[in-house]
């Protein structure tokens, strides 16, 4: 019996990964260092852009949670695509996602940032069901690239190839 990969679990849940993102500025899509046999990979912020088209919006009321959550799923898939590239194309090398940061474009009165970011955590749970969830920060911001709903960063420990 073959072990199901994170990519297979994501595809089965309709979370197929896009191609790895191309930087839209002077930064790398990820940075990797090797502490003690594992590689620390920090994925640069990935916004809710699907097939190159920004998913734009701003959280103002609870009515915005559903579309922002869908955007959070897309941003997480983009972050996982960058992580997959750092893993040589194989997410099963991920030993642990240790940090998730979500920046939610929100009006000052919006306070349900964590509810939006739960959708990104659900994508991680789908890909890595046996791993503990990472430490997480959900932050409201006034502006993001292309007025997108959300930007996500992840840090992970990856087994050496």
């Amino acid at each position: 019996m073959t072990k199901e990969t994170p990519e297979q679990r994501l595809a089965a849940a309709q979370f197929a990964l896009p191609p790895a993102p191309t930087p839209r500025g002077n930064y790398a899509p990820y940075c990797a260092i090797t502490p003690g046999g594992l590689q620390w990979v920090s994925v640069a912020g990935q916004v809710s852009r699907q097939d190159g088209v920004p998913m734009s919006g701003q959280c103002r009321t609870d009515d915005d949670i559903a579309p922002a959550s869908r955007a959070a799923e897309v941003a997480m898939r983009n972050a996982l695509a960058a992580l997959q590239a750092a893993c040589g194309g194989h997410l099963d090398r991920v030993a642990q996602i240790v940090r998730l940061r979500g920046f939610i474009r929100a009006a000052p009165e919006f306070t349900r940032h964590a509810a939006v970011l739960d959708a990104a955590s659900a994508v991680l749970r789908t890909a890595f069901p046996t791993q503990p969830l990472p430490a997480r920060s959900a932050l409201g911001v006034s502006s993001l690239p292309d007025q997108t709903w959300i930007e996500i960063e992840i840090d992970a420990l990856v087994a050496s190839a």
Side-chain angles (χ1 to χ4, degrees):
M1 178 178 199
T2 61
K3 182 179 170 188
E4 190 175 38
T5 67
E7 289 88 353
Q8 291 167 329
R9 287 189 292 273
L10 287 166
Q14 305 301 309
F15 292 137
L17 297 183
T22 301
R24 292 178 178 247
N26 192 17
Y27 64 92
Y30 60 86
C31 174
I33 61 170
T34 307
L38 291 174
Q39 195 174 44
W40 180 277
V41 178
S42 184
V43 174
Q46 300 298 319
V47 297
S48 52
R49 191 176 284 119
Q50 194 166 23
D51 299 321
V53 177
M55 297 173 71
S56 300
Q58 183 183 42
C59 292
R60 297 176 190 276
T61 69
D62 284 358
D63 291 340
D64 297 316
I65 292 174
S69 294
R70 284 189 296 279
E73 290 173 352
V74 169
M76 178 54 76
R77 288 175 20 216
N78 291 338
L80 287 175
L83 180 58
Q84 183 184 42
C87 293
H90 302 284
L91 285 175
D92 56 356
R93 286 184 47 210
V94 174
Q96 177 68 50
I97 305 287
V98 295
R99 185 81 169 141
L100 163 60
R101 282 175 221 80
F103 302 91
I104 295 97
R105 188 166 168 260
E109 62 276 3
F110 185 77
T111 61
R112 306 269 323 271
H113 308 86
V116 172
L117 201 54
D118 282 345
S121 292
V123 174
L124 283 181
R125 175 60 69 216
T126 298
F128 308 106
T130 61
Q131 289 185 9
L133 288 170
R136 186 177 97 169
S137 300
L139 307 159
V141 297
S142 63
S143 178
L144 286 172
D146 296 325
Q147 298 183 340
T148 55
W149 287 99
I150 191 162
E151 182 169 339
I152 288 186
E153 300 174 349
I154 54 176
D155 295 334
L157 289 173
V158 175
S160 300

